[in-house]
């Protein structure tokens, strides 16, 4: 039985909290902390309504996650064993600093990126390795779905199917419909920064940069549909090519519909996706922050969302029998089903469930190693077993190449 703080009360925070409530044998007390405490209060009220049998005790608090002293005061008052960070990526380092100061383990779902630069990489957080080791603490980075479950799938490939992985393709399809003209499935500011940035993939020891959405192909997503998919840069590639050095090429693909791309192109063309602050009526504001304020909140999309997501990892290389092979590990998640269960859409669900699983494995000592670590560094088997248990069933497809060279 463990005490945990969840920082963040958006769509993902909602899922993490409700899955902790379902897993009450591990999570005895949970504090949901966020800048706007009414959002956390709403989650707790829904838990009482929809999960009345849960023995997990919930409370809420207001906190500024940019403020290390405020975080330290909160951590010292509640005394958690672990902090689950599902706030903004800009706040990763302040939360890690507070964990070090108070002796608390740490988990997040997305790597750090500066507020004023559209750049995300693990170097800033990997720089904390020695400090966490000396403190006897563990920090688990990127424990959502992608990154997170995709790293686990890669480790599963390496453990059970491949002597050497040569080609790795991570694919992410949202084949859902929320009924809005334009909306993002997670934080609009982070989502749009990611998509409008240059693409990047790894090949033969080097990073190859592309224009945004320059490379595409039609990919079949099992049990869902064939969808046009685009190469983006995604953070798990950075750690995977280091931890699996036989990889010759690693790419990340994501689906976007024509309407989404047209809306985004117009917004970009008129400067609304810029992160550079402008003067507006005597105040400094980045256009993308204003755009975020007028777009639908991702959690508001959940009630009428239909369709499925399909996220998986295709590996090609040399199998344990010495023969060339291709193998695909994936999950399909239904938006309507996740709303019925936890009042969330599938994109939030696929991120929040792995965060709860990673936290539970840490608290139970199944994944236990001091320092700063990425998910693929641990045994994938218990994580996949928990995915099957907690609503994200894992499927495999052998011998069929879904992503072409």
């Amino acid at each position: 039985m463990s005490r945990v703080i969840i920082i963040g009360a958006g769509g993902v925070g909602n899922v993490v909290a409700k899955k902790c409530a379902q897993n009450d044998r591990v999570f005895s007390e949970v504090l949901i902390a966020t800048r706007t405490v009414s959002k956390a209060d709403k989650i707790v009220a829904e838990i009482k309504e929809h999960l009345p049998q849960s023995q997990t005790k919930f409370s809420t608090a207001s906190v500024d996650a940019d403020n290390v002293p405020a975080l330290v005061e909160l951590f010292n008052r509640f005394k958690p064993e672990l902090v689950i960070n599902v706030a903004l990526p800009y706040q990763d380092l302040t939360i890690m600093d507070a964990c070090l100061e108070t002796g608390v383990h740490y988990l997040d779902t997305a790597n750090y990126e500066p507020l004023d630069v559209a750049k995300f990489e693990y170097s800033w957080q990997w720089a904390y390795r020695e400090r966490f080791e000396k403190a006897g603490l563990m920090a688990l980075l990127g424990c959502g779905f992608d990154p997170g479950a995709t790293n686990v799938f890669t480790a599963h490939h390496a453990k059970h199917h491949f002597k050497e992985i040569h080609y790795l393709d991570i694919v992410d399809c949202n084949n859902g419909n929320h009924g809005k003209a334009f909306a993002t499935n997670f934080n609009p500011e982070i989502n749009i920064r990611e998509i409008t940035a240059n693409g990047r993939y790894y090949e033969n020891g080097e990073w190859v940069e592309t224009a945004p959405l320059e490379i595409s192909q039609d990919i079949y997503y099992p049990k869902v549909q064939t969808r046009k998919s685009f190469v983006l840069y995604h953070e798990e590639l950075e750690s995977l090519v280091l931890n699996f050095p036989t990889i010759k090429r690693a790419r990340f693909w994501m689906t976007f519909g024509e309407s989404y791309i047209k809306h985004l192109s117009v917004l970009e063309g008129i400067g609304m996706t810029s992160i550079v602050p402008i003067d507006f009526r005597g105040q400094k504001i980045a256009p993308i922050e204003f755009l975020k304020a007028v777009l639908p909140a991702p959690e508001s999309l959940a009630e009428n969302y239909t369709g499925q997501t399909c996220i998986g990892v295709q590996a090609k290389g040399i199998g344990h029998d010495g023969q060339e092979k291709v193998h695909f590990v994936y999950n399909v998640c239904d938006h309507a089903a996740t709303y019925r269960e936890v009042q969330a859409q599938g994109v939030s669900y696929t991120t929040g469930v792995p965060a709860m699983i990673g936290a539970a494995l840490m608290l139970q000592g199944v994944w236990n190693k001091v320092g700063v670590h990425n998910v693929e560094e641990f045994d994938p088997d218990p994580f996949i077993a928990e995915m099957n248990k907690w609503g994200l069933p894992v499927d495999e497809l052998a011998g069929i190449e879904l992503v072409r060279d």
Side-chain angles (χ1 to χ4, degrees):
M1 303 291 282
S2 305
R3 295 165 64 90
V4 168
I5 291 179
I6 300 170
I7 300 182
V12 176
N14 167 65
V15 175
V16 176
K18 289 173 181 174
K19 298 306 283 193
C20 287
Q22 291 178 10
N23 194 4
D24 56 5
R25 288 195 297 176
V26 172
F27 299 93
S28 56
E29 294 187 52
V30 175
L31 171 67
I32 307 173
T34 184
R35 191 186 301 268
T36 307
V37 74
S38 59
K39 296 174 68 176
D41 290 338
K42 180 177 182 291
I43 294 171
V44 173
E46 290 179 353
I47 289 171
K48 291 178 179 177
E49 177 185 355
H50 297 285
L51 297 165
Q53 303 304 316
S54 174
Q55 298 299 304
T56 306
K57 180 181 177 181
F58 281 88
S59 56
T60 64
S62 177
V63 73
D64 178 0
D66 295 314
N67 186 325
V68 174
L71 291 165
V72 168
E73 190 279 329
L74 178 67
F75 295 0
N76 280 333
R77 174 158 45 90
F78 187 74
K79 299 187 180 344
E81 296 176 50
L82 170 70
V83 167
I84 302 174
N85 170 18
V86 287
L88 293 172
Y90 321 136
Q91 298 164 324
D92 288 357
L93 301 188
T94 55
I95 298 171
M96 292 178 77
D97 286 335
C99 285
L100 284 169
E101 191 167 335
T102 55
V104 177
H105 300 294
Y106 171 89
L107 177 149
D108 67 32
T109 61
N111 69 357
Y112 174 75
E113 60 179 287
L115 181 61
D116 56 350
V117 182
K119 178 182 180 180
F120 51 96
E121 62 184 39
Y122 279 118
S123 61
W124 289 287
Q125 291 179 279
W126 285 344
Y128 279 67
R129 282 171 171 161
E130 185 176 353
R131 279 175 282 176
F132 269 79
E133 288 171 3
K134 287 182 176 179
L137 297 172
M138 176 175 167
L140 186 63
L141 307 182
C143 194
F145 206 106
D146 43 344
T150 51
N151 304 60
V152 168
F153 290 173
T154 304
H156 173 84
H157 278 304
K159 180 176 182 179
H160 295 287
H161 298 290
F162 289 90
K163 181 179 179 181
E164 293 185 2
I165 298 173
H166 292 166
Y167 303 99
L168 192 77
D169 286 285
I170 300 170
V171 295
D172 184 331
C173 169
N174 179 20
N175 198 47
N177 181 8
H178 47 56
K180 306 290 185 182
F182 182 80
T184 62
N185 295 294
F186 57 95
N187 185 288
E189 193 173 347
I190 304 303
N191 190 200
I192 291 171
R193 282 165 61 121
E194 181 179 270
I195 297 166
T196 57
N198 283 344
R200 194 154 47 116
Y201 64 93
Y202 178 85
E203 188 165 31
N204 296 326
E206 297 181 350
W207 291 100
V208 181
E209 190 165 291
T210 70
L213 308 185
E214 175 186 352
I215 298 175
S216 66
Q217 66 171 272
D218 290 337
I219 296 173
Y220 171 64
Y221 292 86
K223 303 180 182 178
V224 179
Q225 192 174 333
T226 298
R227 290 286 306 274
K228 189 173 185 179
S229 307
F230 299 84
V231 167
L232 303 181
Y233 175 67
H234 228 241
E235 63 239 55
E236 63 260 50
L237 298 180
E238 183 182 7
S239 66
L240 289 172
V241 298
L242 291 177
N243 288 316
F244 300 97
T246 63
I247 292 176
K248 299 178 180 179
R249 187 189 65 218
R251 302 177 295 190
F252 181 94
W253 304 80
M254 185 174 282
T255 60
F256 300 102
E258 290 185 13
S259 176
Y260 185 95
I261 293 173
K262 287 179 181 177
H263 277 85
L264 188 60
S265 297
V266 171
L267 291 168
E268 188 173 17
I270 61 176
M272 286 303 299
T273 63
S274 172
I275 64 174
V276 179
I278 62 170
D279 287 311
F280 180 72
R281 296 180 178 176
Q283 295 186 354
K284 289 282 190 180
I285 182 171
I288 196 171
E289 293 177 355
F290 176 80
L291 179 60
K292 174 185 174 181
V294 299
L295 286 174
E299 59 267 28
S300 72
L301 306 174
E303 184 172 1
N304 298 308
Y305 223 129
T306 59
Q308 297 82 33
T309 67
C310 178
I311 311 173
V313 179
Q314 175 181 288
K316 292 173 60 180
I318 305 301
H320 290 302
D321 60 359
Q323 302 298 310
E324 290 188 359
K325 69 180 298 183
V326 58
H327 200 82
F328 186 60
V329 182
Y330 67 104
N331 162 262
V332 173
C333 182
D334 185 85
H335 288 289
T338 63
Y339 181 76
R340 288 191 297 270
E341 181 192 345
V342 293
Q343 301 76 57
Q345 40 99 335
V347 177
S348 296
Y349 190 89
T350 54
T351 305
V353 174
M356 181 281 288
I357 291 171
L361 293 178
M362 288 175 66
L363 293 166
Q364 294 172 300
V366 178
W367 282 6
N368 180 24
K369 186 178 181 182
V370 298
V372 177
H373 302 284
N374 294 90
V375 174
E376 69 271 17
E377 298 174 47
F378 297 90
D379 183 2
D381 293 354
F383 196 101
I384 288 180
E386 292 295 287
M387 288 182 69
N388 287 321
K389 178 180 179 180
W390 293 109
L392 291 175
V394 178
D395 288 311
E396 304 191 34
L397 190 61
I400 299 176
E401 189 171 356
L402 304 176
V403 187
R404 304 182 305 277
D405 289 337

